[in-house]
Amino acid sequence: MNADDTIICDAIDAMRLLIVDYGGTRRLVQPHVYGDDTQGHRLLSAYQLDGGSSSGESRGWKSFRMDRVRAVAPTDERFHAPRPEFQRNDGAFARIIRQVGG
């Protein structure tokens, strides 16, 4: 695993918020699923709490392609449960490396 993989997996395990630099903006997110999609792209599925967005929606579910992420950093802030609408074993992923709750 590379450094970003470790940061993201540790954050999912600890349910710790991440700061993701994506699309030229910083975003505060609750990471939920990390893995590879059916095209082989490494993805982070997360609920965005704050920050910029190309869609104009600063809150909501986002998928971040890791080849487009410029930086990822952990915070000291935690979330205490998965989002109520979180779906385990998301079909968008061909391979899940880590997801909230195991």
Side-chain angles (χ1 to χ4, degrees), residues 22-84:
Y22 190 83
T25 62
R26 290 185 148 214
R27 301 154 187 248
L28 181 66
V29 304
Q30 296 174 329
H32 278 67
V33 186
Y34 190 58
D36 301 324
D37 70 9
T38 55
Q39 286 83 41
H41 298 111
R42 182 66 42 97
L43 293 181
L44 169 64
S45 176
Y47 189 86
Q48 183 171 320
L49 299 172
D50 194 27
S53 174
S54 60
S55 70
E57 296 291 327
S58 63
R59 292 184 70 89
W61 286 101
K62 310 282 182 173
S63 290
F64 301 98
R65 270 188 44 183
M66 293 308 295
D67 61 339
R68 297 179 180 165
V69 170
R70 299 194 71 168
V72 61
T75 71
D76 291 330
E77 190 176 346
R78 293 178 183 240
F79 56 107
H80 300 288
R83 303 289 306 181

